[in-house]
Every structure is written in C-alpha cells, then in structure tokens.
Amino acid sequence: MKDAEKDIAAMTAEEEEFDEVVVFTDDEGHEHAFYEEQQFMVGKKTYAILVGLPEDTCTCGEDDCHCHEHEEDEEEAIIAKVEFDKEGVPVYVEPTDDEFKEARAAYDALEEE
C-alpha cells in the first residue's frame, strides 16, 4: 500500500472514530487535525472545542513533522467559532479576541457546572 493510501486509510479510520475531522493549515503550510469534542452557544453564536488528533493521524507528508510538537501527555485544544454556509455545513473560523474571551468564559462556566 502506498504512503498516500495509508494516510487516507488512517484518516478514514479516524473519521469513523470521531464524528468530524477538521484540518487547519498554519502559516507555514503544516496541517493540524482536530476532532470536535463539544459545541456550545454564547448568545446567538456557536463555538466548538476542537481537540488535536494523535500524531499518527498526521497527513502533512513531511519526514521531519513538526505538526505535533506539544507534549505527548497534553492534548492540544482550541476554541473555534462555528459559522454555517448556505447548505448548513459548519465552517470553523478563528474567533476575534473579544469573541475568544467571551467563549472561554462561557466554556469555563460550563465546566464548573
């Protein structure tokens, strides 16, 4: 099996394990894969907690991958704003600084419940 086929098979297996795999490309062109752990509302806006997938799901194709430089024991998690396109498909975008602060406070309050 070719490497590209293995990558596709790995991502397909992960997609079965996780409802939705979200891939972001950083400024340096590295891909970072996440799964949606939870959605929550702040006013009329929807936000999602996205948790980084394990390194073995990386599809950047680089021999010297730096996509997963965080500690192995730490899960990388981000807050993304969820917008919906005309067909109702979620689109994950980076929140503004103010939106992030509001979303973080709301998420922290949910965790305390």
Side-chain angles (χ1 to χ4, degrees), residues 3-40:
D3 288 339
E5 291 172 344
K6 289 179 186 176
D7 288 341
I8 292 169
M11 287 301 287
T12 302
E14 289 299 328
E15 286 177 9
E16 291 172 5
E17 184 176 338
F18 303 108
D19 291 337
E20 174 103 17
V21 175
V22 181
V23 179
F24 292 109
T25 304
D26 65 20
D27 295 338
E28 297 173 3
H30 297 116
E31 290 184 345
H32 302 269
F34 296 85
Y35 69 93
E36 184 180 292
E37 181 177 274
Q38 175 182 2
Q39 281 191 4
F40 61 97

Short mmCIF file of all heavy atoms in Angstrom, two decimals, residues 3-40:
data_model
loop_
_atom_site.label_atom_id
_atom_site.label_comp_id
_atom_site.label_asym_id
_atom_site.label_seq_id
_atom_site.Cartn_x
_atom_site.Cartn_y
_atom_site.Cartn_z
N ASP A 3 2.14 5.17 0.55
CA ASP A 3 2.03 6.04 1.72
C ASP A 3 0.76 6.88 1.68
O ASP A 3 0.09 7.05 2.69
CB ASP A 3 3.25 6.95 1.84
CG ASP A 3 4.49 6.19 2.27
OD1 ASP A 3 4.33 5.09 2.85
OD2 ASP A 3 5.60 6.69 2.05
N ALA A 4 0.41 7.43 0.53
CA ALA A 4 -0.79 8.26 0.41
C ALA A 4 -2.04 7.44 0.74
O ALA A 4 -2.96 7.92 1.39
CB ALA A 4 -0.90 8.86 -0.98
N GLU A 5 -2.05 6.18 0.29
CA GLU A 5 -3.20 5.32 0.58
C GLU A 5 -3.28 5.01 2.07
O GLU A 5 -4.36 4.95 2.64
CB GLU A 5 -3.10 4.02 -0.23
CG GLU A 5 -3.30 4.23 -1.72
CD GLU A 5 -3.01 2.98 -2.52
OE1 GLU A 5 -2.37 2.06 -1.99
OE2 GLU A 5 -3.42 2.95 -3.69
N LYS A 6 -2.12 4.85 2.71
CA LYS A 6 -2.10 4.61 4.15
C LYS A 6 -2.63 5.83 4.89
O LYS A 6 -3.38 5.70 5.86
CB LYS A 6 -0.67 4.31 4.63
CG LYS A 6 -0.17 2.95 4.20
CD LYS A 6 1.25 2.73 4.69
CE LYS A 6 1.81 1.43 4.15
NZ LYS A 6 3.20 1.25 4.54
N ASP A 7 -2.24 7.04 4.43
CA ASP A 7 -2.72 8.26 5.06
C ASP A 7 -4.23 8.36 4.94
O ASP A 7 -4.93 8.71 5.89
CB ASP A 7 -2.08 9.50 4.43
CG ASP A 7 -0.61 9.66 4.80
OD1 ASP A 7 -0.19 9.04 5.80
OD2 ASP A 7 0.09 10.40 4.10
N ILE A 8 -4.76 8.07 3.76
CA ILE A 8 -6.20 8.12 3.54
C ILE A 8 -6.91 7.09 4.41
O ILE A 8 -7.92 7.37 5.04
CB ILE A 8 -6.55 7.93 2.05
CG1 ILE A 8 -6.05 9.14 1.25
CG2 ILE A 8 -8.03 7.71 1.85
CD1 ILE A 8 -6.09 8.95 -0.25
N ALA A 9 -6.34 5.89 4.49
CA ALA A 9 -6.94 4.83 5.31
C ALA A 9 -6.93 5.25 6.78
O ALA A 9 -7.91 5.03 7.50
CB ALA A 9 -6.19 3.52 5.12
N ALA A 10 -5.83 5.86 7.23
CA ALA A 10 -5.73 6.30 8.62
C ALA A 10 -6.77 7.37 8.91
O ALA A 10 -7.44 7.35 9.95
CB ALA A 10 -4.33 6.81 8.93
N MET A 11 -6.91 8.34 8.01
CA MET A 11 -7.89 9.40 8.22
C MET A 11 -9.31 8.84 8.19
O MET A 11 -10.16 9.25 8.96
CB MET A 11 -7.74 10.50 7.15
CG MET A 11 -6.51 11.38 7.36
SD MET A 11 -6.49 12.22 8.95
CE MET A 11 -7.75 13.45 8.69
N THR A 12 -9.57 7.89 7.30
CA THR A 12 -10.90 7.28 7.23
C THR A 12 -11.21 6.56 8.54
O THR A 12 -12.30 6.67 9.07
CB THR A 12 -10.98 6.29 6.05
OG1 THR A 12 -10.69 7.01 4.86
CG2 THR A 12 -12.35 5.68 5.95
N ALA A 13 -10.22 5.85 9.07
CA ALA A 13 -10.41 5.15 10.35
C ALA A 13 -10.69 6.16 11.46
O ALA A 13 -11.56 5.96 12.30
CB ALA A 13 -9.19 4.31 10.68
N GLU A 14 -9.96 7.27 11.46
CA GLU A 14 -10.18 8.30 12.47
C GLU A 14 -11.55 8.93 12.31
O GLU A 14 -12.21 9.24 13.29
CB GLU A 14 -9.09 9.38 12.39
CG GLU A 14 -7.73 8.92 12.85
CD GLU A 14 -7.73 8.48 14.30
OE1 GLU A 14 -8.49 9.02 15.13
OE2 GLU A 14 -6.97 7.56 14.62
N GLU A 15 -11.99 9.16 11.09
CA GLU A 15 -13.29 9.75 10.86
C GLU A 15 -14.40 8.86 11.40
O GLU A 15 -15.42 9.35 11.85
CB GLU A 15 -13.51 10.05 9.38
CG GLU A 15 -12.70 11.24 8.90
CD GLU A 15 -12.84 11.50 7.42
OE1 GLU A 15 -13.70 10.85 6.78
OE2 GLU A 15 -12.10 12.34 6.91
N GLU A 16 -14.18 7.55 11.36
CA GLU A 16 -15.17 6.64 11.92
C GLU A 16 -15.18 6.74 13.44
O GLU A 16 -16.22 6.65 14.07
CB GLU A 16 -14.89 5.21 11.47
CG GLU A 16 -15.15 4.99 9.99
CD GLU A 16 -14.69 3.63 9.50
OE1 GLU A 16 -14.26 2.81 10.34
OE2 GLU A 16 -14.75 3.40 8.30
N GLU A 17 -13.99 6.93 14.02
CA GLU A 17 -13.88 7.03 15.47
C GLU A 17 -14.38 8.39 15.97
O GLU A 17 -14.99 8.49 17.01
CB GLU A 17 -12.42 6.84 15.88
CG GLU A 17 -12.22 6.83 17.37
CD GLU A 17 -10.78 6.53 17.74
OE1 GLU A 17 -10.05 5.95 16.94
OE2 GLU A 17 -10.42 6.90 18.86
N PHE A 18 -14.10 9.45 15.21
CA PHE A 18 -14.51 10.80 15.56
C PHE A 18 -15.56 11.25 14.56
O PHE A 18 -15.46 10.98 13.37
CB PHE A 18 -13.30 11.75 15.52
CG PHE A 18 -12.18 11.31 16.42
CD1 PHE A 18 -11.01 10.81 15.90
CD2 PHE A 18 -12.31 11.38 17.79
CE1 PHE A 18 -9.98 10.39 16.72
CE2 PHE A 18 -11.28 10.98 18.63
CZ PHE A 18 -10.12 10.48 18.09
N ASP A 19 -16.58 11.94 15.05
CA ASP A 19 -17.67 12.37 14.17
C ASP A 19 -17.18 13.23 13.02
O ASP A 19 -17.59 13.06 11.89
CB ASP A 19 -18.73 13.14 14.97
CG ASP A 19 -19.48 12.23 15.92
OD1 ASP A 19 -19.52 11.01 15.68
OD2 ASP A 19 -20.00 12.75 16.92
N GLU A 20 -16.30 14.17 13.29
CA GLU A 20 -15.86 15.12 12.29
C GLU A 20 -14.38 15.39 12.47
O GLU A 20 -13.94 15.71 13.57
CB GLU A 20 -16.65 16.42 12.43
CG GLU A 20 -16.21 17.53 11.55
CD GLU A 20 -17.13 17.74 10.37
OE1 GLU A 20 -18.26 17.24 10.41
OE2 GLU A 20 -16.70 18.37 9.41
N VAL A 21 -13.60 15.24 11.42
CA VAL A 21 -12.19 15.60 11.46
C VAL A 21 -12.04 16.94 10.77
O VAL A 21 -12.48 17.12 9.63
CB VAL A 21 -11.31 14.53 10.77
CG1 VAL A 21 -9.86 14.99 10.72
CG2 VAL A 21 -11.41 13.21 11.51
N VAL A 22 -11.46 17.90 11.48
CA VAL A 22 -11.26 19.25 10.97
C VAL A 22 -9.77 19.44 10.79
O VAL A 22 -9.00 19.20 11.72
CB VAL A 22 -11.82 20.30 11.96
CG1 VAL A 22 -11.64 21.70 11.42
CG2 VAL A 22 -13.27 20.00 12.28
N VAL A 23 -9.36 19.88 9.61
CA VAL A 23 -7.94 20.09 9.33
C VAL A 23 -7.70 21.57 9.06
O VAL A 23 -8.36 22.17 8.22
CB VAL A 23 -7.47 19.25 8.12
CG1 VAL A 23 -6.00 19.50 7.83
CG2 VAL A 23 -7.72 17.77 8.37
N PHE A 24 -6.76 22.14 9.81
CA PHE A 24 -6.33 23.52 9.61
C PHE A 24 -4.91 23.52 9.09
O PHE A 24 -4.11 22.67 9.47
CB PHE A 24 -6.35 24.32 10.92
CG PHE A 24 -7.73 24.55 11.47
CD1 PHE A 24 -8.15 23.90 12.62
CD2 PHE A 24 -8.59 25.43 10.85
CE1 PHE A 24 -9.40 24.12 13.14
CE2 PHE A 24 -9.86 25.65 11.36
CZ PHE A 24 -10.26 25.00 12.50
N THR A 25 -4.59 24.47 8.23
CA THR A 25 -3.23 24.64 7.73
C THR A 25 -2.69 25.93 8.33
O THR A 25 -3.30 26.99 8.19
CB THR A 25 -3.21 24.72 6.20
OG1 THR A 25 -3.83 23.54 5.67
CG2 THR A 25 -1.78 24.81 5.68
N ASP A 26 -1.52 25.84 9.01
CA ASP A 26 -0.95 27.02 9.64
C ASP A 26 -0.21 27.87 8.61
O ASP A 26 -0.16 27.54 7.43
CB ASP A 26 -0.07 26.65 10.84
CG ASP A 26 1.17 25.85 10.47
OD1 ASP A 26 1.60 25.87 9.29
OD2 ASP A 26 1.74 25.20 11.37
N ASP A 27 0.37 28.97 9.07
CA ASP A 27 1.06 29.91 8.19
C ASP A 27 2.27 29.29 7.49
O ASP A 27 2.70 29.79 6.44
CB ASP A 27 1.51 31.14 8.98
CG ASP A 27 0.34 31.96 9.51
OD1 ASP A 27 -0.77 31.84 8.93
OD2 ASP A 27 0.52 32.72 10.48
N GLU A 28 2.82 28.23 8.06
CA GLU A 28 3.98 27.57 7.48
C GLU A 28 3.59 26.41 6.57
O GLU A 28 4.44 25.68 6.07
CB GLU A 28 4.91 27.08 8.59
CG GLU A 28 5.48 28.23 9.42
CD GLU A 28 6.27 27.73 10.61
OE1 GLU A 28 6.44 26.50 10.78
OE2 GLU A 28 6.72 28.59 11.39
N GLY A 29 2.29 26.19 6.39
CA GLY A 29 1.81 25.13 5.50
C GLY A 29 1.65 23.78 6.15
O GLY A 29 1.35 22.80 5.48
N HIS A 30 1.84 23.69 7.47
CA HIS A 30 1.66 22.42 8.17
C HIS A 30 0.18 22.21 8.48
O HIS A 30 -0.51 23.14 8.91
CB HIS A 30 2.45 22.40 9.48
CG HIS A 30 3.92 22.52 9.28
ND1 HIS A 30 4.63 23.59 9.73
CD2 HIS A 30 4.79 21.69 8.66
CE1 HIS A 30 5.90 23.43 9.41
NE2 HIS A 30 6.02 22.30 8.75
N GLU A 31 -0.28 20.99 8.30
CA GLU A 31 -1.66 20.65 8.60
C GLU A 31 -1.78 20.17 10.05
O GLU A 31 -0.91 19.46 10.54
CB GLU A 31 -2.18 19.56 7.66
CG GLU A 31 -2.35 20.04 6.25
CD GLU A 31 -2.96 18.98 5.34
OE1 GLU A 31 -2.97 17.79 5.74
OE2 GLU A 31 -3.40 19.34 4.25
N HIS A 32 -2.87 20.57 10.69
CA HIS A 32 -3.16 20.16 12.06
C HIS A 32 -4.58 19.59 12.06
O HIS A 32 -5.52 20.27 11.68
CB HIS A 32 -3.07 21.35 13.02
CG HIS A 32 -1.74 22.01 13.01
ND1 HIS A 32 -0.73 21.65 13.86
CD2 HIS A 32 -1.24 23.00 12.23
CE1 HIS A 32 0.33 22.39 13.61
NE2 HIS A 32 0.04 23.22 12.63
N ALA A 33 -4.71 18.34 12.50
CA ALA A 33 -6.00 17.66 12.50
C ALA A 33 -6.62 17.70 13.89
O ALA A 33 -5.94 17.47 14.90
CB ALA A 33 -5.84 16.23 12.03
N PHE A 34 -7.92 17.98 13.95
CA PHE A 34 -8.67 18.07 15.19
C PHE A 34 -9.98 17.32 15.05
O PHE A 34 -10.46 17.10 13.94
CB PHE A 34 -9.02 19.54 15.51
CG PHE A 34 -7.84 20.42 15.76
CD1 PHE A 34 -7.17 21.03 14.70
CD2 PHE A 34 -7.39 20.66 17.04
CE1 PHE A 34 -6.09 21.85 14.92
CE2 PHE A 34 -6.31 21.49 17.28
CZ PHE A 34 -5.65 22.09 16.22
N TYR A 35 -10.56 16.93 16.19
CA TYR A 35 -11.93 16.44 16.19
C TYR A 35 -12.75 17.36 17.08
O TYR A 35 -12.23 17.97 18.01
CB TYR A 35 -12.04 14.98 16.64
CG TYR A 35 -11.75 14.74 18.11
CD1 TYR A 35 -12.76 14.75 19.05
CD2 TYR A 35 -10.45 14.50 18.55
CE1 TYR A 35 -12.50 14.53 20.39
CE2 TYR A 35 -10.18 14.28 19.89
CZ TYR A 35 -11.20 14.30 20.80
OH TYR A 35 -10.94 14.09 22.13
N GLU A 36 -14.02 17.48 16.76
CA GLU A 36 -14.91 18.33 17.54
C GLU A 36 -15.36 17.57 18.78
O GLU A 36 -16.00 16.54 18.68
CB GLU A 36 -16.13 18.74 16.71
CG GLU A 36 -17.03 19.69 17.45
CD GLU A 36 -18.23 20.08 16.63
OE1 GLU A 36 -18.07 20.78 15.61
OE2 GLU A 36 -19.34 19.65 17.02
N GLU A 37 -14.99 18.11 19.92
CA GLU A 37 -15.38 17.49 21.18
C GLU A 37 -16.75 17.97 21.65
O GLU A 37 -17.55 17.20 22.17
CB GLU A 37 -14.34 17.79 22.26
CG GLU A 37 -14.67 17.15 23.60
CD GLU A 37 -13.58 17.40 24.60
OE1 GLU A 37 -12.63 16.63 24.63
OE2 GLU A 37 -13.72 18.39 25.36
N GLN A 38 -17.01 19.26 21.46
CA GLN A 38 -18.24 19.83 22.00
C GLN A 38 -18.55 21.14 21.31
O GLN A 38 -17.65 21.88 20.93
CB GLN A 38 -18.04 20.08 23.50
CG GLN A 38 -19.17 20.76 24.19
CD GLN A 38 -18.86 21.01 25.66
OE1 GLN A 38 -17.79 20.71 26.15
NE2 GLN A 38 -19.81 21.59 26.36
N GLN A 39 -19.84 21.42 21.14
CA GLN A 39 -20.30 22.74 20.70
C GLN A 39 -21.06 23.38 21.85
O GLN A 39 -21.68 22.70 22.65
CB GLN A 39 -21.23 22.64 19.48
CG GLN A 39 -20.52 22.42 18.19
CD GLN A 39 -21.44 22.60 16.98
OE1 GLN A 39 -22.61 22.95 17.10
NE2 GLN A 39 -20.89 22.33 15.81
N PHE A 40 -21.01 24.72 21.90
CA PHE A 40 -21.76 25.47 22.90
C PHE A 40 -22.10 26.83 22.33
O PHE A 40 -21.47 27.30 21.39
CB PHE A 40 -20.99 25.56 24.23
CG PHE A 40 -19.66 26.27 24.12
CD1 PHE A 40 -19.56 27.61 24.46
CD2 PHE A 40 -18.53 25.59 23.70
CE1 PHE A 40 -18.33 28.26 24.36
CE2 PHE A 40 -17.30 26.24 23.60
CZ PHE A 40 -17.21 27.58 23.93
#
